[in-house]
Amino acid sequence: MRRWKIPGLWLCLIVACGARLAAEPDARIQFVESYAGSHVSEFNELLGQVKSIVPTALSYITGRWGLPNTLHYPLIVSLIDAPSTIPGRPVAAYVRSARQGDELRQVLVVDLSHHLLYPTENLENVLYHEMAHVVLQDAVTRPAAAGIPQWFNEGLAQSVTTEGKERTQYDFTRYGHTDARAVICDLNGNVDAFYHGEYNFGCYTYFYLAVQRLIALGGNEALPAVITGLRDGRPLPVLIGQITQKDWPAFQRDVERYTRDVFAGTTPIP
């Protein structure tokens, strides 16, 4: 399986002497061994890795997005030893979210047995992706918050490691120098407020490129502005118009042109 890595510029901020700097645990993160702690000895190392990676990912992501290095709501990290079939296939980790009144409850489910079956899979990068979902939902959730469109949710999560770039490079080897029809998707899909979207894995490259285009047009303040705006109840198409000076239809056309240019080889893969 392909490994996704933290981009080099940001990697320098959290790596010392070849090892990642572990962040201090956040008091709102609770680790629960759902198999009552009776794990096999092979889990010992994985348990330690998960308990180190999760707070480090929180620190990295919040720093990159200009957010406080903490969570507003509790996060339960549920460590299981049974294969998960969400969303319909075995997965290494996923996030479940639910609201209880004005409170948000998030559970990050990590299947340790999956990592024993697939030891070459990069656990760190899987958890960084899922923690991006956690941080975004935590930062946005307020009583009058706007929903998070799936394209932005998944495109942003792919941007905290090299996952998005590597997906795009992989698709370029298959579809490069074409009109990119194979990867272009509709950005008007379901709002993925609590990660129950359609799981359009085939669209992840397009989602990533759409987020990269938003950042390129809006500059360094684009992501903080979007997160603040969603929290305050402004829909993402409205925010994009304010940030990029392009209305929603114009932005969608721009993303499509940008994607075609990437797959034509005339624009570098971001």
Side-chain angles (χ1 to χ4, degrees):
M1 301 183 70
R2 286 170 289 134
R3 297 189 175 193
W4 298 317
K5 301 173 285 298
I6 306 299
L9 175 62
W10 292 97
L11 185 62
C12 293
L13 300 178
I14 57 174
V15 176
C17 300
R20 296 199 187 281
L21 294 174
E24 289 296 322
D26 189 298
R28 291 185 175 269
I29 300 175
Q30 178 184 0
F31 295 90
V32 177
E33 297 176 35
S34 296
Y35 41 89
S38 58
H39 56 79
V40 295
S41 60
E42 290 87 346
F43 284 171
N44 287 334
E45 182 178 354
L46 288 172
L47 281 167
Q49 290 178 15
V50 172
K51 292 178 180 180
S52 174
I53 292 169
V54 168
T56 302
L58 172 63
S59 178
Y60 170 77
I61 294 166
T62 54
R64 186 169 182 181
W65 295 352
L67 301 172
N69 180 26
T70 188
L71 296 172
H72 296 93
Y73 305 98
L75 168 66
I76 296 175
V77 181
S78 178
L79 301 155
I80 65 174
D81 61 352
S84 306
T85 56
I86 304 293
R89 65 181 180 86
V91 293
Y94 63 94
V95 178
R96 295 184 305 194
S97 296
R99 251 182 175 163
Q100 297 178 342
D102 292 341
E103 293 298 311
L104 174 68
R105 176 184 173 89
Q106 297 199 85
V107 180
L108 170 56
V109 181
V110 182
D111 175 16
L112 298 179
S113 65
H114 182 96
H115 298 285
L116 294 180
L117 292 173
Y118 303 99
T120 61
E121 185 171 49
N122 192 314
L123 175 62
E124 187 172 66
N125 293 325
V126 169
L127 293 179
Y128 270 68
H129 179 113
E130 298 305 324
M131 282 300 295
H133 291 315
V134 169
V135 172
L136 179 60
Q137 187 67 69
D138 183 88
V140 166
T141 298
R142 297 294 186 276
I148 305 170
Q150 188 182 14
W151 72 266
F152 183 73
N153 201 349
E154 294 298 344
L156 191 57
Q158 292 177 83
S159 301
V160 300
T161 70
T162 57
E163 173 187 353
K165 182 169 187 175
E166 291 184 13
R167 280 185 188 274
T168 306
Q169 290 171 331
Y170 178 78
D171 281 346
F172 183 81
T173 63
R174 296 192 295 173
Y175 310 122
H177 304 291
T178 71
D179 62 4
R181 283 180 296 178
V183 300
I184 292 173
C185 296
D186 184 8
L187 298 183
N188 293 303
N190 290 345
V191 170
D192 190 26
F194 295 116
Y195 321 132
H196 299 308
E198 298 172 341
Y199 298 101
N200 296 316
F201 292 113
C203 293
Y204 275 25
T205 292
Y206 196 62
F207 293 167
Y208 166 73
L209 291 175
V211 168
Q212 294 304 303
R213 188 58 178 160
L214 171 59
I215 295 171
L217 292 171
N220 293 335
E221 297 303 314
L223 294 183
V226 167
I227 292 171
T228 300
L230 291 174
R231 182 189 63 201
D232 293 342
R234 284 175 284 166
L236 186 54
V238 173
L239 294 169
I240 284 176
Q242 296 170 346
I243 293 168
T244 68
Q245 305 305 307
K246 295 177 182 288
D247 63 21
W248 179 234
F251 176 75
Q252 293 178 87
R253 291 192 297 270
D254 185 277
V255 170
E256 183 172 332
R257 284 194 300 270
Y258 175 67
T259 300
R260 293 183 188 279
D261 289 343
V262 169
F263 278 81
T266 58
T267 295
I269 296 174

